[in-house]
Every structure is written in C-alpha cells, then in structure tokens.
Amino acid sequence: MQSFRTEIENPVVENDIIELANKIELFHNGKIDEEKFRSLRLARGVYGQRQEGVQMIRIKLPYGKVKSNQLRRISDVSDEYSRGRLHITTRQDIQIHYVDLNRTPELWAELEKDDVTLREACGNTVRNITASELAGIDVNEPFDVSPYADAMFRFFLRNPICQEMGRKFKVSFSSSDDDTGLSYMHDLGFIAKIKNGVRGFKVMIGGGLGSQPRHADVLYDFIETDKIIPTMEGVLRIFDRHGERKSRAKARMKFLIKDIGLDGFKALVDEEQNAIEHKSVAIDADAYVASKPVSVEAPQVEINNVDAFNLWKSTNLIPQKQEGYVAIGIKVLLGDFYTDKARLLANLVEKYAAGEIRLSLRQNIVIPFVKEDLVSFFYTELEKLGFVEAGYNKAIDITACPGTDTCNLGIASSTGIADELERVLKAEYPQYLKNEDLVIKISGCMNACGQHNMANIGFQGMTVRTPDKLVAPALQVLLGGGNLGDGNGLFADKVVKVPSKRGPEALRRILNDFEANANGKTFVEYYKVTGERYFYDLLNDLQDVTNLTQDDFIDWGTNEEYVKEIGIGECAGVVIDLIATLFFESEEKIENAQKAFNNSVYSNAIYHAYSSLVNSAKAMLLAENKSTNTHAGIISQFDELFVATGRIDLGSSFADLIYQINKFAPTKDFAANYIENANAFLDKVKSYREAQNELNKQAI
C-alpha cells in the first residue's frame, strides 16, 4: 500500500483521503473490481469523464455558500490539478475537469485546508444539500434557513445510514413560499414556515426529474425545526432498506413512494423511530456563524456607459432585507468561469462586502451585503472581470448542463445550443432581457441535470434517424413547466422532437406566437389555455427528417460530423472473487461498527453492523445466482433459501435477527449485542461457503 500522507488536522478527514489513495492503488493492482471502485470514488466526488483517462471532480458546497478563502483555494487546486476552469452546477457545486485519478487524494487534501470537501458529492449518497441562494437576505423569508441546511449537511456527512444506498438522495431548503429551492422536484424538500410564532418547515417528499418526472407529495404540512433531522434519518433508513438496488432506473425515492404509497411510507418511518437515537435535534440558529459585511467607504468611480449601468442595475440588483444593502447577481454564461476571475472576485467581496459569494441553482453567482453606496464601484470592478452582463435570472439567462462537452451520458450538445439561443434572444427579442417570467433550460440527455422538464421552455438532447439510417443530433422540445410556489409545480409536456439545428427556429415560433397571442398572460398561463396539441401543430413540420442538409449532421459548438456516443467506458478491472470481496467488506463494516462503539456513537455502530449483516447475506445470495433488489428482499430471500431449508441454522429467522434494529433503542448494550450477532453471522456464512467450496472441489 502506498504511504500517502496529508497535512490535515482532522483525523477523520485524513483517514478518508488516505483510504481513497489506498483504494486507487488496489484498483490499479486488480484487487478491487471496477464496479466497487466506481461506487467508492463517486462517494468521494470523483466522477468518470467522457474523455478517457481523466476524471471530473465535483466539489461539494452546501447551500451554495463559498467564502473568499475557499474560492481562492478552489482556484489554486483547479490551476494545479486541472485546467483553470470552474463550472457551477444546478446543485450549487463547482466541478473541475480533466483530473488525473492518481492525483485526486492530494487534490482533496489541498481543498480540506480551507474546509472544502469532496465527500458524498456524487454516488448513492445524500448529495449536496441545496438552498435558496438568497437565504438570510431574502425580503420574503420568515427566517434564515442557512443554519438548518448547514446542520443537516453536517449531521449526514459520513453518516453510515446513507453511504451505500440504492441511489442518490437530493435535499433542498426554500427560504419562503416562493419555493426558490424547488422542493417539489426533490427527494426531500423543506419550505420555511412560522406557525403560532414557532419556526418550522413544510416537508415535501418523493419528487424528481429524469425521464419520469414526479411531483413531490406533502409529507408534513408543518414540523418544528428540531424534528427535521430525525425525520430525514427515518426517511433515509426506509429508503436504504426498501429502495430498489438492481434496476437503477427504478431506484429513486419517487418510485418507492409510488410503489408503497405515501401512507404506507409514513407508517414505516414512524415504526423506525425506535431505532433513532435522537428523537429531537435542536438546531441553535443563533450559534450559526453568518458572514458579516465590512464597513468601508465608497471609492469614487466614474461610469463610462451610463445607459449600460442603468440597464444592469435594473436586471442584476436584488433587494435585501437588511436596510442599506443590496445583493448583486452575476450572470455566468453556462456556469463557466476561470480561476483568474475567481481570485479577483474573492478579493473584491472580502474587502468590500461580506467575504462570501453564493452559487445559484441557475448556475450564477450572488454577492450579498453590498452597501448601496458601493454599487457604482462594484459595477466598475465587475466590469473589469466581464461580470456585468445584464439579465441575471431573466429569460435570457439560459441554464444548461455540460452535455457532450464532458459528460459520459450526454447525447447532444447542450452548451452549444444554449449559446446559440442566447444569441437569438439578445439579437431578436431584446424585451426578454428584463423578463423573469420565462425560464429556458437545456439538458444533454433525459437525466435532466439542466432541469429541462421543469422549465417553461425546455430542450433535451436526443437523436433522430433518417429513412436511410443516418443519425443526427436532435432536441426534444418541452413546454409548460414551471414553479408555482409553496411546493407546487408543473412539469413540461414533450411536444415535438426536432433536429438540433432547428432549435432556434422552434424557439422563434414559440416566442412569436406567445408575443402575438398571450395578452399579458405568463407563459405557464398561456400554455395552459392553448395546450400541447396547439404547439404540436405549430412546430410539427420541423420534425421532418427527409430533408436534412449536411449542416444538420453537425452539432452545435463543433465542426465535426455527429457520432452518437454514450457512456464511453472506463478501463475494466480484472476478474476477482466477488463473494470473497463482499465478505471482506462485511469485515470492514464490523470494524467500523466497533470503532463507533468505542467512541460511544451507538446508533452509528448499530447501523454499520446492520450493513454488515445485509452485505453478508447478499454475498450468499449472489453465490446462488439470486437477485438482490432491495435490503428487505435480501433478508426475506436469505430466510427462504438458507434458514427455512435448514442449510444454515441461526437459532431464529434472519429477519428476527436483523430487524432488531428497528425494535430496540440504540443503547450501549444493544449495540454490543448487535455487533456480536453480525460477527457471528459473518463467521457462520463464511464457514458454510468454505464447506460448499470444498465439496465442489471433491466433486470435481
């Protein structure tokens, strides 16, 4: 094993980074199979890239808050390990690309020097917890949700109950009934409320986008703030146990809620409370360290283009609830900017604002706590950085995922078409520079990282095939989605599929019709009265693929003829004994359980032991070529195949043994007994497996 060392003071973080370095070495040496290694690195923010041999690194930035020192650190890391470009995602993360896998541990170590993590930025974990980018300054908010989002992030980071779930889990916080955190499309969404003078949240559950978008249900109309962490823990435990694990397409929370029903799910969450150590987790919002604005005199500046300045003020200044201050919105084209500008921006806000920026769900930047008399100065400084383009969060501000630029799953270019559509809007529809009622979003595939199916006008990357079997890039046009507020929203209808080069013409027809006939209605209102068929007829002729030109076979942003490439493979690992690997993992889980027990964290110890029990049973079922879709399914199948038939004697059913986890409180005595049971179970199944292998050898 390589002797990688860090300078990290936190031993837990240091151990994480050293473990990643060791697992990379084991993978290179063929000691870990590709699938298991993928799971491990994804949970550490290391994501396979479309280009072979390099990785995308996702930097986890809870609720989009980035301090000046952190932004400088991220810039230094990007320059050293990547190419100096930063990409803001629709989940308030920052991604950097083209990173050598072998350098990812030292990259992570550098980030942690300023409390920036990669942990659980990807993979089947609780992803970055997002929030309204105006949290704490929002004129409509009943209270600042930042302390609660921060407490949630810290409680579930590295928490054993959410390290190896069947699929990812996304959480949002909205600062007001405007629901700018988009709770209705999240696995779990919290909307700030005050009831009878008490702070709390409306809780939404089971929302999602992708190829089958689902509107979230109301889990609770109101729960007090001390109940949000126990509620989420219960939800995660049930999702971990009953969620699908074999078919990725069916493994999200929205499908589990659909399968067992909201009432059935709530009943399971209620039953699980016995296993939860803390029935109430008070969050001290007053102790949350919020950034404070500096006190500085406004330097004298001269505005060269007063008209441009006034236009910028009309679209990019955001009212702030703190008297005497405003926030500034920076429109970041496609979420991409470079480290030289990032450093200068970090220095600017540190000296003249509150020393932080916020990343938005629309891939933009917000500077909070700008004194009103500093607005002119900020304009001149941001102008030097190319950061004063008007139209922040307006119709002209199009959201797009990276698409075929770097993503393995991209089908068609989303950044190229976004660039072209913004050009069309600026040149032909200047009135939309100030329109915030029209939202346009683009994704390069059905997975909806660009959130296209909740937009007023959305585009999804696809392909079309001509009668003579030629393939060209295409766009699915979706219309009518939108955020209605307070946990309510609409998903867009799929209307037509057009060759990509006809995307601008499709947009022109939609906007021209809207301009001529809407009579003051918003786009959502207008689409509601006109309907899918109306727009299908309006755009139908654009679907014709019998008359494509050579240009139609070249995607936006490239000069090369289109080739459909999805999921370019990462290098395959050598064949290993998967059953032995699973047993080894079970041993590691028991070791983790014992460490947690020794640190008196009994609830974590119990969950590690539970994971070992399930993992060991899964190994035995795989040895028999049995399906292992869910944890609950593994438990019942093990009983049917091994216990009921007498092949393995546990003295009870496996279900009775393992389901003690939700029948007993997480005490020291129960934790000790449960770990002992997990260890004994592992010994028993390993012995059975060895005996079977010996019999098989003799038979040969």
Side-chain angles (χ1 to χ4, degrees):
M1 213 68 72
Q2 65 177 346
S3 56
F4 179 79
R5 290 289 179 268
T6 76
E7 299 176 8
I8 304 300
E9 295 181 2
N10 186 327
V12 175
V13 174
E14 183 177 44
N15 183 68
D16 248 0
I17 297 171
I18 292 172
E19 181 188 23
L20 176 60
N22 291 339
K23 291 294 169 63
I24 289 172
E25 183 175 4
L26 288 172
F27 171 67
H28 286 320
N29 293 334
K31 301 291 180 62
I32 303 177
D33 76 302
E34 179 187 4
E35 190 64 31
K36 186 62 187 176
F37 180 65
R38 180 185 294 116
S39 175
L40 182 136
R41 64 172 168 76
L42 284 173
R44 281 125 183 103
V46 183
Y47 196 96
Q49 194 170 306
R50 191 177 188 89
Q51 293 76 13
E52 192 171 350
V54 290
Q55 312 293 315
M56 178 271 283
I57 304 300
R58 183 174 293 149
I59 299 169
K60 193 172 189 177
L61 300 165
Y63 50 101
K65 180 178 177 178
V66 188
K67 298 176 183 176
S68 290
N69 61 304
Q70 292 175 323
L71 186 55
R72 284 191 289 265
R73 175 68 64 183
I74 293 169
S75 299
D76 291 345
V77 162
S78 181
D79 285 345
E80 172 65 24
Y81 299 93
S82 179
R83 299 184 174 184
R85 189 183 78 168
L86 308 177
H87 176 73
I88 305 169
T89 76
T90 54
R91 294 202 59 76
Q92 300 176 301
D93 298 300
I94 283 180
Q95 292 176 175
I96 60 177
H97 297 83
Y98 298 96
V99 176
D100 183 341
L101 173 65
N102 296 319
R103 301 190 73 193
T104 53
E106 59 187 82
L107 176 156
W108 187 1
E110 287 298 312
L111 287 173
E112 288 283 1
K113 291 177 181 178
D114 280 295
D115 197 26
V116 177
T117 191
L118 306 183
R119 180 76 194 219
E120 294 148 56
C122 309
N124 298 333
T125 60
V126 174
R127 296 291 186 85
N128 194 33
I129 293 179
T130 60
S132 303
E133 61 265 23
L134 301 184
I137 63 173
D138 189 346
V139 294
N140 296 319
E141 69 183 18
F143 57 88
D144 183 4
V145 300
S146 303
Y148 306 97
D150 186 71
M152 191 79 87
F153 153 68
R154 297 185 185 282
F155 187 89
F156 290 102
L157 187 70
R158 297 184 177 86
N159 194 309
I161 70 170
C162 52
Q163 296 306 299
E164 296 179 330
M165 298 184 295
R167 244 356 210 105
K168 57 191 173 184
F169 192 93
K170 297 181 177 180
V171 183
S172 74
F173 281 80
S174 287
S175 58
S176 74
D177 284 356
D178 292 337
D179 197 15
T180 48
L182 308 176
S183 69
Y184 67 93
M185 47 159 275
H186 279 78
D187 294 300
L188 207 55
F190 297 89
I191 305 173
K193 302 279 185 179
I194 289 183
K195 187 174 182 179
N196 299 325
V198 177
R199 290 183 178 184
F201 293 92
K202 181 178 183 178
V203 185
M204 309 294 295
I205 191 166
L209 295 179
S211 60
Q212 299 180 57
R214 182 182 189 275
H215 195 293
D217 296 310
V218 178
L219 183 63
Y220 299 108
D221 285 312
F222 182 85
I223 60 171
E224 296 183 11
T225 58
D226 65 318
K227 298 298 183 185
I228 62 172
I229 286 178
T231 295
M232 181 161 157
E233 180 170 354
V235 167
L236 287 173
R237 284 171 174 265
I238 299 307
F239 179 55
D240 189 37
R241 188 171 309 138
H242 294 276
E244 171 70 32
R245 289 177 179 270
K246 186 177 182 181
S247 171
R248 284 177 58 82
K250 297 290 185 181
R252 293 297 299 274
M253 171 64 79
K254 61 184 178 182
F255 295 109
L256 181 59
I257 297 289
K258 183 179 179 181
D259 287 344
I260 64 179
L262 181 62
D263 291 339
F265 186 86
K266 288 175 75 171
L268 289 172
V269 172
D270 290 342
E271 290 173 13
E272 196 67 21
Q273 295 305 304
N274 286 331
I276 295 177
E277 182 176 9
H278 304 290
K279 307 297 187 292
S280 171
V281 179
I283 297 169
D284 188 353
D286 294 334
Y288 173 76
V289 181
S291 299
K292 302 294 182 184
V294 297
S295 178
V296 60
E297 288 191 19
Q300 295 297 311
V301 295
E302 183 176 339
I303 303 298
N304 295 321
N305 187 331
V306 176
D307 289 340
F309 174 57
N310 288 333
L311 175 62
W312 174 83
K313 283 199 299 181
S314 70
T315 65
N316 291 51
L317 290 191
I318 306 164
Q320 191 168 314
K321 70 180 185 181
Q322 289 83 2
E323 188 176 351
Y325 293 93
V326 294
I328 292 176
I330 298 175
K331 182 178 178 294
V332 183
L333 180 63
L334 304 177
D336 293 330
F337 67 117
Y338 288 85
T339 53
D340 54 346
K341 294 182 179 181
R343 287 190 187 87
L344 293 172
L345 181 63
N347 296 339
L348 177 66
V349 300
E350 186 173 62
K351 188 172 182 180
Y352 293 100
E356 70 171 74
I357 63 169
R358 309 275 182 86
L359 307 180
S360 85
L361 298 173
R362 290 179 68 167
Q363 301 173 291
N364 290 320
I365 294 172
V366 173
I367 304 173
F369 289 105
V370 175
K371 289 177 65 178
E372 289 177 342
D373 62 358
L374 281 172
V375 168
S376 298
F377 169 72
F378 262 87
Y379 178 81
T380 59
E381 293 301 303
L382 293 174
E383 187 177 29
K384 297 173 186 175
L385 304 181
F387 275 164
V388 291
E389 185 171 346
Y392 171 82
N393 271 11
K394 304 301 186 289
I396 201 169
D397 192 357
I398 296 175
T399 301
C401 70
T404 50
D405 289 359
T406 55
C407 179
N408 261 329
L409 301 176
I411 297 174
S413 173
S414 44
T415 57
I417 183 63
D419 213 4
E420 177 63 16
L421 294 185
E422 285 209 4
R423 187 197 65 76
V424 168
L425 285 168
K426 290 174 186 175
E428 302 175 31
Y429 302 90
Q431 65 270 34
Y432 285 95
L433 190 62
K434 295 185 178 183
N435 183 304
E436 59 186 358
D437 290 329
L438 189 71
V439 178
I440 303 173
K441 294 176 180 282
I442 305 171
S443 298
C445 74
M446 66 181 181
N447 287 288
C449 293
Q451 301 174 344
H452 63 277
N453 42 16
M454 52 80 63
N456 301 157
I457 302 173
F459 296 90
Q460 174 196 326
M462 303 189 80
T463 59
V464 289
R465 189 179 296 270
T466 67
D468 50 356
K469 303 295 190 283
L470 297 176
V471 178
L475 296 168
Q476 177 79 61
V477 181
L478 301 94
L479 300 174
N483 178 13
L484 305 180
D486 197 24
N488 299 298
L490 296 170
F491 293 118
D493 292 325
K494 296 177 181 178
V495 179
V496 294
K497 183 167 69 169
V498 304
S500 289
K501 286 300 176 71
R502 297 176 186 170
E505 176 58 22
L507 181 64
R508 289 186 183 98
R509 291 192 189 183
I510 294 165
L511 294 182
N512 289 344
D513 179 85
F514 178 58
E515 290 281 301
N517 302 313
N519 295 320
K521 296 183 180 71
T522 66
F523 189 86
V524 170
E525 293 168 341
Y526 180 61
Y527 181 81
K528 189 174 181 180
V529 298
T530 52
E532 179 182 348
R533 183 70 200 189
Y534 176 85
F535 281 96
Y536 175 86
D537 292 337
L538 182 69
L539 304 172
N540 184 33
D541 63 296
L542 297 179
Q543 298 191 95
D544 185 4
V545 295
T546 63
N547 57 356
L548 298 187
T549 67
Q550 189 62 37
D551 189 51
D552 288 312
F553 293 94
I554 299 173
D555 207 352
W556 293 103
T558 180
N559 296 317
E560 299 177 1
E561 187 169 338
Y562 176 78
V563 177
K564 183 179 179 180
E565 294 179 326
I566 305 174
I568 296 176
E570 301 166 339
C571 59
V574 299
V575 176
I576 64 167
D577 184 348
L578 179 58
I579 310 306
T581 300
L582 290 171
F583 283 153
F584 175 70
E585 291 171 5
S586 292
E587 291 173 357
E588 287 187 327
K589 294 176 190 298
I590 290 173
E591 289 174 5
N592 290 335
Q594 195 59 55
K595 287 177 185 176
F597 182 85
N598 294 340
N599 290 325
S600 302
V601 188
Y602 302 125
S603 59
N604 284 7
I606 292 164
Y607 213 86
H608 282 305
Y610 163 81
S611 298
S612 175
L613 284 162
V614 172
N615 200 68
S616 301
K618 175 183 177 180
M620 295 301 293
L621 291 172
L622 288 177
E624 300 281 333
N625 295 316
K626 298 296 181 182
S627 175
T628 56
N629 291 34
T630 67
H631 278 190
I634 290 170
I635 295 164
S636 62
Q637 285 184 80
F638 187 88
D639 270 334
E640 292 171 11
L641 195 61
F642 292 103
V643 179
T645 59
R647 295 168 68 183
I648 295 179
D649 182 10
L650 300 178
S652 72
S653 70
F654 184 49
D656 286 343
L657 171 68
I658 199 169
Y659 282 142
Q660 293 178 71
I661 190 173
N662 60 9
K663 293 180 173 60
F664 295 95
T667 62
K668 179 179 181 180
D669 289 343
F670 175 62
N673 184 62
Y674 203 65
I675 294 170
E676 185 179 337
N677 287 341
N679 219 346
F681 180 74
L682 177 58
D683 288 342
K684 185 156 290 195
V685 294
K686 284 174 66 178
S687 296
Y688 179 87
R689 171 73 172 161
E690 290 166 5
Q692 290 298 111
N693 286 341
E694 189 61 36
L695 287 173
N696 291 336
K697 288 178 184 177
Q698 292 174 9
I700 295 172

